[in-house]
Amino acid sequence: LPSGSAPACAALRQVALQSAVATLHGHYAPELSCSDPCWTWTRDDRLGGRDQLFGHFKKVAAAGAWDESLGYKANATATAAAMRATFDRAVAPAIADDATRHFVNTTLQYGEHWFGIVEAAWGVWVEGAKKDLGQPYNASLLLQRIGDYDAAWAAYRAFGLQRHDAPSLYQPVYFNLPGGTPAAGMDAWVDEYRNATARSVDAATL
């Protein structure tokens, strides 16, 4: 940023601080002091699922922290949106180079989409894990959240196609060594509930 742009520098610092909050709330699990599974459920460009996180959700259930857990993910998405708004309003006008301004905006939009996917998946998993653990759950809400998940992925992938300078996209499968088969990840766990819901609907119409 050029000299004399102290307000823009302060705003950029605020964006950086918000980024740390979004990462803490979106990737990790403050509701349980970042228990171990929430350090490793993503790896490289891969997103894990049941094998990586079900143990965490059992602890969430035991702590009665369902709403708190999902609230952190919603806050991550909201924080990412606030970061982009702050940049566009207070930082971008001070950047003379179009390519730099566009690149930072793209990066911030990418983060907003990514945290939106995590929030949507978490919403499915929260309601689905309640079902798995024999707790009361809302089947209609579970179906709605599966739709939210599909919409979040569609928007993320469309964004990746539209922005040539976007980072590479994450994959909804878990890590594998070169030449190996990807392990079941985010999509597979969501699909468990998608398929179970479809079977329930089919049974109800018989």
Side-chain angles (χ1 to χ4, degrees):
L1 293 170
S3 60
S5 57
C9 289
L12 185 59
R13 180 177 184 274
Q14 180 63 28
V15 169
L17 293 173
Q18 288 175 313
S19 176
V21 171
T23 300
L24 175 62
H25 291 181
H27 181 277
Y28 299 105
E31 69 272 16
L32 294 178
S33 302
C34 296
S35 59
D36 180 65
C38 289
W39 290 91
T40 58
W41 76 275
T42 70
R43 183 170 176 182
D44 298 344
D45 61 346
R46 307 301 177 88
L47 298 167
R50 179 182 286 276
D51 288 347
Q52 290 73 40
L53 283 170
F54 191 64
H56 171 73
F57 281 100
K58 286 182 178 179
K59 295 177 182 178
V60 171
W66 294 118
D67 291 343
E68 186 180 5
S69 181
L70 188 54
Y72 278 118
K73 299 301 177 276
N75 187 64
T77 306
T79 300
M83 289 162 55
R84 184 160 67 94
T86 298
F87 175 81
D88 289 345
R89 181 188 70 254
V91 182
I95 300 176
D97 182 67
D98 289 343
T100 299
R101 187 169 56 250
H102 188 273
F103 175 76
V104 177
N105 177 275
T106 296
T107 301
L108 292 170
Q109 286 194 59
Y110 181 98
E112 191 175 344
H113 282 294
W114 190 86
F115 286 119
I117 287 173
V118 172
E119 179 189 356
W122 220 261
V124 174
W125 294 339
V126 161
E127 213 58 33
K130 290 177 184 177
K131 177 179 180 292
D132 292 345
L133 295 170
Q135 296 191 2
Y137 77 101
N138 187 322
S140 296
L141 182 58
L142 177 56
L143 187 61
Q144 174 188 319
R145 287 178 173 173
I146 292 170
D148 293 342
Y149 174 81
D150 292 340
W153 269 107
Y156 177 66
R157 287 168 173 150
F159 169 77
L161 291 173
Q162 293 165 0
R163 292 291 186 112
H164 67 85
D165 55 347
S168 59
L169 300 185
Y170 275 75
Q171 303 298 318
V173 294
Y174 199 57
F175 180 79
N176 61 283
L177 294 172
T181 301
M186 179 179 278
D187 255 4
W189 196 8
V190 170
D191 284 345
E192 286 184 34
Y193 301 124
R194 186 196 310 277
N195 296 335
T197 301
R199 288 193 297 271
S200 297
V201 171
D202 289 343
T205 59
L206 293 177

